[in-house]
Amino acid sequence: MKEINLASVVSVKRKEKKITQDGLANYLGVSKAAISKWETAQSYPDITMLPHIATYFDITIDELIGYEPQMESTEIKKLYHKLSHQFAKEPFDIVHERCNVIIKKYYSCFPLLLQIGILLLNHSMLAGSTEKTQKVIEQDKQLFERVKSETDDVHVAKQALYLEAYCCLMQNNPAEVLVLLEGTDTLSMSNRGLFAQAFYMMGNIPKAKEKIQMQIYENIVEMFGAFPMLFTLNTDDPVKLDECVERALALEKIFAVKRFHPAIVITMLLSAAGTYATINNKEKTLELLEEYAKVSASGIFPFKLHGDEFFDMVDGALANLDLGTEMVRSEETVKQSMLQGVTLTPVFQQYSNDVRFKSVVKMLESI
């Protein structure tokens, strides 16, 4: 919690009402000297007087003392996953209203506001209609803009900026994205690499290994996140598209990505299948959908971020992520999305009567 700020609140509110210290003192039955000491933080009013002062200024006691509730990172993590599970089991509007109450209560807890915004983005498709989804996205955009503008945490501000830009994309406003991101498109060295070099020079090999492993792990995740757009950009060149998909699949095989992060693999496979479907390559589409279903049904639940035999020193760093190692959406919501990613995607409907396609759907339904 931030320090009590009653002094400035009393001073500002008194001046807003155009009341002198004498006038306020007479109303409260105290001396002018007492008011002066309150406003200069030399002393505080008796606790029993707080309701009277708050009533006089027509504010809450929390507002009077400048109380801005905060939430620790562990509490934010627990709350996020609790609400995520509620979105899977309860009507969207009910859980959304709970989020709004939390936003209002913790309006100055910027790390929490950031995660609540991410939570709403990750579940906005459950809103019930395109119009309602867009309203949630607009709310998120405003929330991220506030966090970006008000927080003192550079890391949180940077995340908020990128998420605000993402909201603009979802609102079909690419021009605003470019304005928001102007000046940020520069190459930068990962600080994990610097940490690794420093620990190595100090002779702390285990820590150096941990940092460099985590850098490679993050780079792989980032690359897989970029593949869907790469595929889309090469729909006009089937040969180049084949090469892009083949390299993505080869990278997965080299690092056995599906063993430690199957979520990014199935996202890549579904995207590749969708891209081939847009150019009417039925064989490649069904081949990739079959692999998508196979990985999805390979016992990946309950899914948590983790390392493997190669990335054997990253689990500690993963546990310290803002939302920990659990999925950002509940297991039920993810399974539903995995199925709907095939059955509700228009470009796949041309294959809906194909035996192989039906087999894919059946496998996904059984998860």
Side-chain angles (χ1 to χ4, degrees), residues 11-42:
S11 177
V12 169
K13 292 297 181 182
R14 179 180 61 77
K15 292 172 183 176
E16 284 179 356
K17 291 177 74 72
K18 296 181 170 55
I19 301 297
T20 64
Q21 289 184 340
D22 279 323
L24 180 57
N26 290 335
Y27 173 81
L28 296 172
V30 298
S31 66
K32 176 184 176 183
I35 302 296
S36 178
K37 287 182 179 180
W38 296 350
E39 294 188 354
T40 54
Q42 296 179 56

Side-chain angles (χ1 to χ4, degrees), residues 227-228 231-232 235 241 245 249 265-293 341-342 345-351 357 360:
F227 282 141
F231 301 155
T232 299
T235 53
L241 174 61
V245 174
L249 294 172
V265 176
I266 61 177
T267 299
M268 179 271 291
L269 291 169
L270 185 64
S271 172
T275 306
Y276 277 119
T278 62
I279 61 174
N280 299 312
N281 189 327
K282 179 179 179 179
E283 180 59 31
K284 287 288 182 65
T285 299
L286 293 175
E287 180 183 316
L288 287 160
L289 284 178
E290 286 170 339
E291 182 63 17
Y292 169 81
V342 174
T345 299
V347 75
F348 293 141
Q349 299 314 301
Q350 58 187 310
Y351 308 121
F357 185 86
V360 166

Side-chain angles (χ1 to χ4, degrees), residues 144-179:
F144 294 136
E145 184 177 6
R146 168 175 164 75
V147 172
K148 177 192 70 178
S149 302
E150 299 292 334
T151 184
D152 294 327
D153 188 317
V154 176
H155 175 65
V156 171
K158 185 176 180 181
Q159 285 183 285
L161 169 64
Y162 292 150
L163 287 164
E164 182 186 355
Y166 180 70
C167 288
C168 292
L169 280 181
M170 296 183 73
Q171 294 175 321
N172 197 29
N173 193 349
E176 189 171 351
V177 174
L178 297 180
V179 172

Side-chain angles (χ1 to χ4, degrees), residues 4 37-38 47 78 104-105 111 157 165 167 171 208 210 216 225 247 268 292 296 305 318 321 339 347:
I4 291 176
K37 287 182 179 180
W38 296 350
I47 191 171
K78 289 179 182 178
K104 184 176 180 180
K105 180 178 180 181
C167 288
Q171 294 175 321
E210 175 190 323
I216 297 171
R247 291 196 180 203
M268 179 271 291
Y292 169 81
S296 299
L305 292 175
L318 292 173
L321 294 175
L339 175 62
V347 75

Side-chain angles (χ1 to χ4, degrees), residues 86-96 98 126:
Q86 290 175 357
F87 269 121
K89 298 178 180 298
E90 300 180 44
F92 178 88
D93 289 342
I94 291 176
V95 186
H96 185 202
R98 286 184 198 141
L126 303 176

